[in-house]
Amino acid sequence: MRAPLRWVLWDVKDTLLKVRTSVGEQYCREAERMGLSLSPVEVDAAFRQAYRHYSSRYPNYGITQGLNGKTWWMGVVRDTLSQCRVQEPALLNTAAHNLYHHFSNAENWEVFPDSKQALESCSSLGLKLGVVSNFDNRLEAILRGCGLLSHFSFLITSEEAGVAKPSPAIFDQALQKCGEPADSVAHIGDHYVKDYLTSRSVGIHGFLLDRHNMHNQPDIPQEH
């Protein structure tokens, strides 16, 4: 007999909220405040390259290599702008510092129209809610600013946990906080491997949120 559901865990980025405008546009606005004129398309391409490089060389914000979320993101910004011919170290450092704090603000994030209702519906059913997210330690401030923080009993970020999805260890930490067996816990997220497969690998009821009808894996039952 299946255990009753007690908890629902949530991914955050691209599940409950998303970046409001493109990274290229936001970086260009910061550059403009410093007297620089850059192309959002060029900056977006440079950002994708810098992000891939840092994610590969320093996974999970470089926690095991002596970095943290802030130093990691500032490195990504400096690398991005350097590719766009910004070379002055003082400008790069100022832009990196400003943009790191800029993305802590709620106005740079857009909550999906159905997010609050979904969280409220879960709470009304007596379910407790938590967050398991590959995110840095700005997440609490972002959720507070977006009016979502009060819905959650706990947050686990990959920076704080020291491990990131798709490592099952981050879900093991979440289960410890839930204090319930995996069969009493569900997880909802937008990534097939990091959210759906990894949560199910530890016995959690994983559900895939497919906002853009992009997933067609044959192993996902329709009810998931």
Side-chain angles (χ1 to χ4, degrees):
M1 184 174 168
R2 187 179 139 180
L5 200 63
R6 304 290 189 194
W7 283 85
V8 180
L9 306 176
W10 294 83
D11 175 52
V12 175
K13 185 176 178 291
D14 299 323
T15 295
L16 295 173
L17 49 77
K18 64 177 180 177
V19 175
R20 191 174 291 277
T21 59
S22 78
V23 168
E25 290 172 306
Q26 301 212 41
Y27 280 30
C28 283
R29 279 203 292 270
E30 178 59 33
E32 195 174 331
R33 283 193 281 269
M34 303 171 68
L36 303 170
S37 179
L38 302 177
S39 156
V41 173
E42 183 184 11
V43 174
D44 260 330
F47 170 78
R48 285 193 294 272
Q49 185 173 331
Y51 183 87
R52 281 195 300 269
H53 170 70
Y54 267 73
S55 297
S56 173
R57 188 173 178 184
Y58 309 108
N60 194 28
Y61 309 113
I63 299 299
T64 61
Q65 295 147 288
L67 300 181
N68 57 38
K70 183 175 182 179
T71 54
W72 191 93
W73 275 114
M74 287 181 66
V76 170
V77 173
R78 283 193 295 263
D79 197 343
T80 299
L81 296 179
S82 293
Q83 291 181 56
C84 300
R85 299 169 303 285
V86 180
Q87 301 300 332
E88 173 59 47
L91 284 178
L92 290 170
N93 285 331
T94 299
H97 179 270
N98 290 348
L99 283 164
Y100 178 81
H101 290 285
H102 187 65
F103 278 93
S104 302
N105 299 328
E107 59 261 29
N108 298 305
W109 298 89
E110 181 179 342
V111 177
F112 289 110
D114 54 4
S115 294
K116 288 186 180 180
Q117 184 180 347
L119 297 174
E120 289 166 359
S121 295
C122 287
S123 296
S124 71
L125 293 170
L127 297 168
K128 294 180 179 178
L129 309 180
V131 163
V132 180
S133 179
N134 284 0
F135 215 101
D136 59 72
N137 288 341
R138 293 173 294 181
L139 185 59
E140 182 173 341
I142 291 167
L143 290 174
R144 181 184 294 111
C146 291
L148 298 180
L149 183 64
S150 61
H151 291 286
F152 301 109
S153 298
F154 67 81
L155 311 180
I156 294 181
T157 65
S158 59
E159 180 179 0
E160 178 190 15
V163 288
K165 298 178 284 187
S167 169
I170 195 168
F171 284 105
D172 291 334
Q173 290 188 29
L175 288 173
Q176 288 179 2
K177 287 185 177 289
C178 292
E180 296 281 353
D183 198 33
S184 297
V185 181
H187 174 73
I188 298 170
D190 70 299
H191 197 282
Y192 171 63
V193 174
K194 295 176 182 177
D195 291 305
Y196 180 73
L197 290 184
T198 306
S199 63
R200 297 189 80 81
S201 75
V202 300
I204 290 171
H205 301 285
F207 293 92
L208 184 66
L209 182 59
D210 186 10
R211 290 191 176 279
H212 307 293
N213 295 315
M214 293 173 59
H215 297 285
N216 56 2
Q217 282 82 0
D219 61 326
I220 306 181
Q222 191 61 38
E223 62 269 23
H224 293 178

